[in-house]
Each structure stands twice: as structure tokens, then as C-alpha cells.
Amino acid sequence: MNSEIKAAENSGKESEVKIKKRSPIAAAFFTLLVPGLGHFYCGEIKRGFVWFLVYAVYSTTVFALIKFIPGYAMTIISVITCFPIGMYILIESIIIAVNKKQYALQFYNKPKYYIAIIITSVYFAGPIEDIFAPGSFTTPTDSMLKTVLPGDRFLDNDLYYGIKNPFTGKYAIIYNKPRAGDIVNFRYHGLPEEAPPKETTYYLKRILAAPGDSLVINNRVIKLNSEYCFFDHIYFDEKLTFLGKGTDYSIFPKGSGWNVDNYGPIIVPKAGETVSFDTSSINIWKRIIRDEGSKLEIIKDRIFINDIEKYSYTFKDNYYFMIGDNWYNSLDSRHFGFVNENDIASKITMIYFSWDRDIPLKDIGRKLRSIRWERIGKMIE
């Protein structure tokens, strides 16, 4: 008799533990972490999974539209349509939780299952969205004045030029060749005479010359492939002095005698093309030869490549010559040399927000008044 009473008491305790109402706050929290997870918490597994797929597919589509068809109208429409879907999923999960006053806990209502779903979403669904999501960043310098102002935030497209091999970092497929005039985000390896930065550094510059182009600058006038080029976007700070024919010792290559106003002539390296040199002209090609995996030594005025005396080299990769729109205040290819095609990470597309960078955030009133509404949605050209 006593055993029966104890069994009944234990059974009552178990049923009491298994019946527990759902918390609207918890449902909302889980939904914000992963759309559909709040439904899972409330026992609506199928509905939660459907909403997860709907939101993942829709948000990925929205990202792709903004990335591949950038524009102010497209961004606004995408955000406006995406927000209500997320809000509907959130509100529905809260309503379901409110109505679940007598909820029988299921085997999956345990922390380990919620953690597993969150991790799965982060490591599987997240990267898929990231592939199509445009990057968002700003530039800390004035080197692209007046195309890009300090405080501009812009979007980029890392699939604009092609698809990279994730293991080598090189382009596996290129369907849009980078062109002169494009503003790109690229990996910066430091000055030729310096060790590469310990952390990956990216620069934002405009392509001035493409592989195989001949380039010369005479008194600030650019001549590309024997034709004069005049760019409206280049900004000359009149407070700085025109350099004329003087030597700038920070200019690439070392010992050239050039400066930012008078530079070249040079040929931008192109894959498959061969260049000849001697000890007086090797400086311009040293870094490329070594970066492409060849051993280069200069011994008593003799040049050895991979232990063979040679005075010519065939390029393996394509290269580009970069320049900042702020002519006198830009660390660009005139200082660090050519940029490997595989170091180009993305093409800059659109400014999505802009305000005065120099106003501290604590002065929120002035900060908000400094918003440059006329620049929001402006395409970068």
C-alpha cells in the first residue's frame, strides 16, 4: 500500500515537472537569435523550421539584390520588405508562447538542443548568407577625397570580379576583369623594403592602369598607353607644392629619381609577358619575382633567378597600378608598387550612410545633425 502511495506521489511530481507554460520573453529571445527557434521552444517544430527557411531564403535574396544590383531604391525596398517578415515571425512566437499556458515539455526542450540549433545556424546557414551579403566598411584616411569622405560607409561586392579558391586565395574563376577607373578593396603587403604587416591590412584605391598598360605621369598629367587621360575625380590640394622634377626617395622603385608628379614610364606586369632587366633596373621587379615564388640573388652585378644567371623574367600573375584620388595625400602604387590581381578583394559600389567622422559620438546632437543625406545611396564611381 505504501509503495503504491509513493509511486502515485512520484508520478504526480513527474507530471508536475513536465507541465510548464512558455515564456513570451524566452520565445522572443530565441527568435531574435535564430528566426523559428522561438516556435521550436513552444513545440511548433514544423512551423519553426518553415519560418527559418523562409527567412533564410528571403534575407539571402535581399542581400544578393543589394550586392549585385546596388542602389538607394533597391536597398530601401529590400530592408523595408525584410523587416516586416522578421517582425511577423517574432510576434507570432510571442503569441504562441502566451497561449501555451499548459505546455507539456518535450524531450527536445533542453539547452543542448537549442545550442545545437544555434551552432548549426551560425556555421551552416550563416556562411551561405555571408556569400551573398555585401561587405560594409569605411576608410580611416583622406586618400580618396573627394570621391570618398571620412565618415562615409559603403558597400562592396566580393563576387563582382570572380570566385576565389578558398584554399589558395587566388581567383579560380574571373568573369569581370578589373578595369582602370574601378575603386577596389585590396590586400596591402606593405612597402617593398618593409616586412609585410603582421595583420591583414586592406586599402581602398582606384585602379589607374591594368595589366600590360604603359603608364607615365608628366607634371601631373597622366599618359596611359600613349594617350592623355584626364580624370575629374582627382583632387589636388592647393596648399601642397607642385614637386616638379625633384626626387622623392619614398617613391617606388627605390633609386628611380621619380616623384608623385613625374613618374615613369613603366609597364604594368601581365601574366605570360616577359620583361628584360639588368642590375640598374631590377629594383622595380624584385618583389614580384620573389612573391611569385622564385629565388632572386644579386651577386657582384650578376642576377641569379633560382640559381641560374638570368636577365629576364616571365610573369605568372596579372598586376594593377593603384592611385588615390587625393593626389598628394595617398599611399598608393607610386610608393608600394604593383598589386597582384589575387589581392583584389572586392569592388566598391555604393555609399549607404555618411556623417562627420570627427564629431565624437557622445555629442549625439551634433553627430546626428552632421548626417550627409545627399550622399546616402550615392553610387561610387
Side-chain angles (χ1 to χ4, degrees):
M1 185 71 176
N2 290 334
S3 61
E4 290 178 358
I5 292 172
K6 288 181 179 179
E9 288 176 351
N10 291 335
S11 177
K13 288 179 181 178
E14 288 175 5
S15 62
E16 189 178 326
V17 171
K18 289 181 180 179
I19 301 299
K20 189 176 181 181
K21 68 177 184 179
R22 299 288 79 188
S23 166
I25 295 176
F29 175 73
F30 284 130
T31 301
L32 291 173
L33 285 177
V34 178
L37 185 56
H39 291 70
F40 180 91
Y41 164 78
C42 294
E44 301 287 341
I45 297 178
K46 291 183 180 179
R47 193 165 184 81
F49 182 68
V50 169
W51 276 127
F52 172 76
L53 287 180
V54 168
Y55 193 81
V57 170
Y58 189 81
S59 60
T60 300
T61 303
V62 165
F63 285 147
L65 288 173
I66 296 173
K67 185 168 187 171
F68 293 100
I69 315 175
Y72 183 68
M74 178 62 69
T75 303
I76 295 299
I77 291 171
S78 299
V79 172
I80 288 176
T81 55
C82 196
F83 181 74
I85 294 176
M87 286 301 299
Y88 183 87
I89 298 172
L90 176 65
I91 293 170
E92 186 180 80
S93 70
I94 294 172
I95 293 173
I96 293 173
V98 170
N99 292 332
K100 294 275 186 175
K101 295 179 180 178
Q102 295 292 323
Y103 175 71
L105 290 176
Q106 305 297 318
F107 73 92
Y108 50 77
N109 290 125
K110 295 179 181 179
K112 64 181 181 181
Y113 291 104
Y114 300 132
I115 293 171
I117 291 172
I118 293 169
I119 291 175
T120 301
S121 174
V122 170
Y123 284 95
F124 290 93
I128 292 174
E129 287 188 352
D130 289 343
I131 290 172
F132 295 97
S136 170
F137 56 96
T138 186
T139 177
T141 71
D142 299 337
S143 68
M144 288 299 292
L145 284 176
K146 295 184 178 179
T147 306
V148 175
L149 302 181
D152 283 350
R153 299 199 67 86
F154 28 82
L155 302 177
D156 73 327
N157 185 348
D158 57 3
L159 294 178
Y160 184 85
Y161 296 117
I163 300 173
K164 287 190 174 184
N165 183 323
F167 300 103
T168 65
K170 294 187 175 184
Y171 278 103
I173 301 172
I174 293 182
Y175 37 76
N176 282 321
K177 281 285 185 183
R179 298 182 302 174
D182 289 355
I183 297 179
V184 297
N185 183 36
F186 62 92
R187 190 184 297 108
Y188 171 68
H189 292 286
L191 295 173
E193 306 302 323
E194 296 178 345
K198 292 181 180 179
E199 296 183 0
T200 301
T201 304
Y202 285 91
Y203 272 19
L204 184 74
K205 304 292 177 188
R206 187 183 297 274
I207 296 176
L208 180 61
D213 286 346
S214 61
L215 169 70
V216 63
I217 301 173
N218 285 322
N219 296 330
R220 298 199 309 199
V221 176
I222 299 169
K223 199 172 185 180
L224 192 62
N225 297 326
S226 302
E227 294 185 6
Y228 290 104
C229 298
F230 299 95
F231 297 104
D232 295 334
H233 52 259
I234 291 180
Y235 167 68
F236 299 101
D237 190 340
E238 298 304 328
K239 292 181 291 185
L240 298 175
T241 307
F242 178 68
L243 297 179
K245 298 293 182 180
T247 297
D248 184 344
Y249 295 99
S250 69
I251 287 294
F252 169 84
K254 187 176 180 180
S256 64
W258 303 336
N259 59 48
V260 294
D261 291 328
N262 287 278
Y263 190 93
I266 60 165
I267 301 291
V268 182
K270 182 178 181 180
E273 291 194 351
T274 301
V275 63
S276 298
F277 45 74
D278 54 27
T279 52
S280 65
S281 59
I282 187 63
N283 279 344
I284 198 168
W285 313 119
K286 273 183 182 179
R287 186 169 189 170
I288 290 178
I289 294 171
R290 287 169 177 159
D291 285 351
E292 289 191 346
S294 295
K295 178 184 175 184
L296 173 66
E297 293 180 300
I298 301 174
I299 304 173
K300 295 182 178 180
D301 295 329
R302 299 169 67 189
I303 299 172
F304 296 86
I305 299 177
N306 296 327
D307 299 321
I308 299 173
E309 188 170 359
K310 287 190 70 174
Y311 297 90
S312 66
Y313 181 79
T314 301
F315 302 111
K316 298 176 183 177
D317 296 323
N318 287 318
Y319 291 82
Y320 291 83
F321 193 93
M322 307 291 181
I323 196 166
D325 287 357
N326 192 348
W327 187 269
Y328 287 120
N329 188 21
S330 173
L331 182 64
D332 51 41
S333 287
R334 292 172 295 179
H335 300 275
F336 54 71
F338 308 107
V339 173
N340 191 303
E341 180 175 70
N342 296 299
D343 285 327
I344 296 176
S346 60
K347 184 179 187 293
I348 308 304
T349 56
M350 184 188 77
I351 298 169
Y352 72 88
F353 187 74
S354 180
W355 61 7
D356 192 329
R357 179 193 65 185
D358 297 326
I359 298 176
L361 196 56
K362 64 181 180 181
D363 193 352
I364 190 64
R366 283 182 60 216
K367 194 75 170 177
L368 291 175
R369 288 194 297 273
S370 74
I371 295 175
R372 306 177 185 116
W373 296 101
E374 73 283 358
R375 294 187 67 79
I376 296 177
K378 182 179 180 180
M379 303 302 294
I380 297 181
E381 299 174 354

